[in-house]
Amino acid sequence: MTGKTAPPAKKPALAAAKKKAVPAPKEGAPKEEAAPKEEAAPKKEAAPAPVTEELPAPEHPLEQPPAPPDESAPIPMEAGAEVTAVPAEGSSVVPAELPAPAPEPKPEKPKEEPPSCPLSLAVEEVTENSFTLTWKAPEQMGRAGLDGYVVEICKDGSSDWKAVNQEPFLSTRYTIPNLCSGDKIHVRVVAVSASGASVPATLEQPVLIREILQLPKIRMPRHLRETYIRRVGDAVNIMIPFQGKPQPEVSWTKGGQPLDTNHISIRNTARDTIFYIRQAQRGDSGKYELTVQINGAEDKATLDIQVVEPPGPPQNLKLVDVWGFNVALEWTPPMDNGNSEIKGYRVQKSDKKSGKWFTVLERCTRTSCTISDLIIGNTYTFRVFSENICGLSDSAAVASGVACIEKTKTTYQPEKIPQRDMMEPPKFTQPLTDRTTTRGYSTHLFCSVRGFPQPKIIWLKNQMEIREDPKYIALIDQGVCSLEIRKPGPFDGGVYTCKAVNPLGEASVDCRLDVKGEI
């Protein structure tokens, strides 16, 4: 006999009907028998229901066969209950469907690491009832960023750590107050973020709560050890640090008198004092004394302030003298030096033609000067500025008079030079030299002579004067005498003489010329 397989949608209904078909106990039967049957049912653990794939609904749903009259309606099942199909009487067993494969689990996201430990935890200050900690931010803060820090303390000998701050804070400095003097406190700092807390940074040694006494000491800045110079109208804002424990008393005086708080503002903190003047005046110049005192122990420092402004102009500028191309000026120092030493004077000139001012001297340290190289025919006016550390005076002193550089009439008188006797008899400075030449090649004879008046030059050959002969060319230039012998032959050899003659005397030199045949 072949059995028909029940459709999948009917499986829960069949199981529910089978479950309901269990006969109820008859009336009058002992209840003790029913109890063991009810207890036996839960012993069998319910297996997880197999996951079945949903089949697509047909376009024309099949008509379900009517349920037998003795079967009740399907009852909904609880989650996790086993579903089994009960075959009808006279039918074969229906095979169960294979469970569908379970979906692959999704990979879990890696958890974010908490921040690293805070760095450089140290004690900055200890008082009789508190101490201050400082540290640096951790190297790694995580992706979520840092929410803040939590400071925890524990007394020495105890293991009960207590958080000092209720909420995390981002500052890397914290003061723990309300402690008892003499206690030893262990402390640690934890960095907190959304991903968790870091490993705590812990001090190696406990902190002893006691006040450290320190004598008062003023730390005067280096630039304030000299005179502090400001211009009139500028603000004076000076901060001077000091040290001392417990907190010292600070006082300012000028000339032994307290300061005018309406004009000068003083603000003191536990570590420094601030001296402030909104607009400085020359009357604020002077020496101010700062005193820091703790129970009879004190330290003093002096602040020297100088308020300056530009000086006034020089006084009594006058034109002392004018000669040639030069002018002499004199003046006296200004009445007001601007509360600063006069560094010098600036002298300027202006000619009448251009009307422009030109600086002649800068930083002239004297109260007089001489101006040179003026142009003939011009008329000049002069003025002088005074100068100090602030700069030039706002106005200048102008000379009352003007300097006219006139053209002077001059007569040229040549210098009388005594006449020198230049008369000199002839004298040869370079004599003739013996020469040897080749037949047919022109040659020259040279010598030099001096004398005044200029001597007459006579050439001789073998004591015979050489006159106008085209074979010989005689020249004299700047005392150098030359004789050219053109294409000499064997008969042109001999002794040549040069004679110089003037009214004061004569001189002569000679040489020998040898003419050789062609090689």
Side-chain angles (χ1 to χ4, degrees):
M1 178 182 272
T2 306
K4 295 183 179 179
T5 305
K10 195 127 184 192
K11 283 181 183 180
L14 293 172
K18 183 67 177 178
K19 188 173 182 182
K20 192 171 182 181
V22 177
K26 296 181 180 180
E27 293 181 4
K31 296 181 179 180
E32 295 176 0
E33 295 179 2
K37 292 180 181 180
E38 292 175 1
E39 292 176 7
K43 285 183 180 180
K44 187 175 181 180
E45 295 180 4
V51 180
T52 58
E53 294 183 356
E54 294 182 1
L55 297 177
E59 296 181 1
H60 304 285
L62 299 175
E63 294 181 359
Q64 300 293 337
D70 57 339
E71 292 183 0
S72 59
I75 301 173
M77 297 291 292
E78 292 183 359
E82 184 179 1
V83 179
T84 57
V86 180
E89 292 182 1
S91 63
S92 61
V93 178
V94 180
E97 286 189 359
L98 295 175
E104 296 181 0
K106 296 183 179 178
E108 295 182 359
K109 294 182 179 179
K111 294 183 179 180
E112 294 185 1
E113 295 183 358
S116 60
C117 176
L119 305 175
S120 305
L121 178 61
V123 178
E124 183 183 67
E125 183 181 9
V126 180
T127 65
E128 62 182 357
N129 57 6
S130 67
F131 66 93
T132 303
L133 297 172
T134 59
W135 61 89
K136 294 182 180 178
E139 293 182 353
Q140 298 178 0
M141 298 186 183
R143 296 181 180 177
L146 200 65
D147 292 343
Y149 303 95
V150 175
V151 180
E152 298 177 348
I153 61 174
C154 174
K155 289 188 177 181
D156 190 24
S158 173
S159 60
D160 185 13
W161 289 92
K162 295 181 181 179
V164 180
N165 53 312
Q166 300 297 330
E167 298 292 337
F169 60 92
L170 292 173
S171 175
T172 57
R173 185 175 182 272
Y174 189 78
T175 300
I176 303 174
N178 304 325
L179 301 175
C180 296
S181 180
D183 287 349
K184 291 184 178 180
I185 305 296
H186 293 272
V187 63
R188 65 187 184 185
V189 179
V190 179
V192 181
S193 71
S195 57
S198 70
V199 177
T202 308
L203 288 176
E204 296 181 359
Q205 299 294 331
V207 181
L208 178 60
I209 307 302
R210 65 181 179 86
E211 187 169 10
I212 302 173
L213 297 178
Q214 189 178 30
L215 293 176
K217 180 67 176 178
I218 299 174
R219 301 290 186 183
M220 181 67 76
R222 182 172 298 178
H223 70 281
L224 297 179
R225 297 175 188 174
E226 301 177 355
T227 302
Y228 184 71
I229 301 175
R230 302 297 292 175
R231 294 182 64 131
V232 172
D234 289 351
V236 178
N237 191 6
I238 299 172
M239 184 184 71
I240 301 177
F242 57 81
Q243 65 184 24
K245 289 185 179 180
Q247 183 174 347
E249 296 179 1
V250 182
S251 61
W252 284 87
T253 58
K254 180 182 180 183
Q257 300 297 323
L259 303 182
D260 181 10
T261 56
N262 295 328
H263 182 62
I264 302 175
S265 299
I266 302 294
R267 191 181 68 180
N268 300 322
T269 65
R271 298 183 179 181
D272 53 48
T273 178
I274 297 176
F275 180 98
Y276 179 73
I277 302 175
R278 184 178 296 275
Q279 290 184 343
Q281 304 297 328
R282 288 178 60 172
D284 297 327
S285 301
K287 294 185 178 181
Y288 295 81
E289 292 184 355
L290 170 63
T291 305
V292 179
Q293 185 176 6
I294 301 176
N295 298 330
E298 64 178 20
D299 189 21
K300 293 185 177 181
T302 301
L303 175 63
D304 189 6
I305 297 179
Q306 183 179 0
V307 182
V308 299
E309 61 182 345
Q315 302 292 313
N316 305 322
L317 176 61
K318 57 184 178 180
L319 211 60
V320 177
D321 192 11
V322 180
W323 74 99
F325 315 119
N326 311 304
V327 171
L329 299 174
E330 284 185 358
W331 61 89
T332 57
M335 296 180 63
D336 181 13
N337 62 359
N339 199 28
S340 177
E341 180 184 0
I342 298 297
K343 291 190 172 183
Y345 301 91
R346 180 175 295 185
V347 183
Q348 294 182 343
K349 69 178 181 179
S350 174
D351 61 276
K352 189 176 180 180
K353 292 181 179 179
S354 66
K356 295 181 180 179
W357 291 97
F358 299 94
T359 300
V360 180
L361 296 174
E362 286 187 348
R363 291 286 180 93
C364 177
T365 56
R366 297 179 298 172
T367 56
S368 62
C369 69
T370 300
I371 302 174
S372 304
D373 299 330
L374 300 176
I375 299 175
I376 294 177
N378 283 359
T379 301
Y380 291 93
T381 305
F382 301 92
R383 68 180 183 184
V384 180
F385 291 88
S386 53
E387 185 177 3
N388 66 359
I389 193 172
C390 285
L392 298 176
S393 57
D394 296 333
S395 59
V398 182
S400 57
V402 294
C404 298
I405 310 301
E406 298 179 352
K407 296 179 180 179
T408 56
K409 296 180 179 180
T410 56
T411 303
Y412 176 71
Q413 295 180 354
E415 184 180 358
K416 294 181 179 180
I417 302 174
Q419 293 284 340
R420 181 181 177 183
D421 187 8
M422 303 295 294
M423 306 297 285
E424 183 182 8
K427 180 181 179 181
F428 283 92
T429 57
Q430 182 67 34
L432 294 172
T433 57
D434 296 342
R435 292 182 65 84
T436 300
T437 185
T438 304
R439 178 181 178 181
Y441 291 90
S442 299
T443 187
H444 292 79
L445 301 177
F446 293 98
C447 64
S448 59
V449 65
R450 72 180 185 185
F452 191 82
Q454 183 176 353
K456 179 181 179 182
I457 303 302
I458 301 172
W459 287 94
L460 298 96
K461 174 188 175 185
N462 297 328
Q463 300 301 322
M464 298 293 295
E465 182 177 355
I466 299 174
R467 296 188 176 274
E468 297 179 357
D469 188 342
K471 193 177 186 65
Y472 302 98
I473 299 176
L475 299 174
I476 182 171
D477 184 19
Q478 301 293 328
V480 177
C481 307
S482 64
L483 177 66
E484 180 183 1
I485 305 172
R486 303 174 66 185
K487 297 181 180 181
F491 298 102
D492 292 324
V495 176
Y496 287 83
T497 303
C498 180
K499 181 185 290 186
V501 180
N502 73 355
L504 299 180
E506 64 179 34
S508 63
V509 290
D510 52 19
C511 68
R512 184 173 185 81
L513 176 66
D514 294 330
V515 181
K516 295 183 178 180
E518 294 182 2
I519 299 174

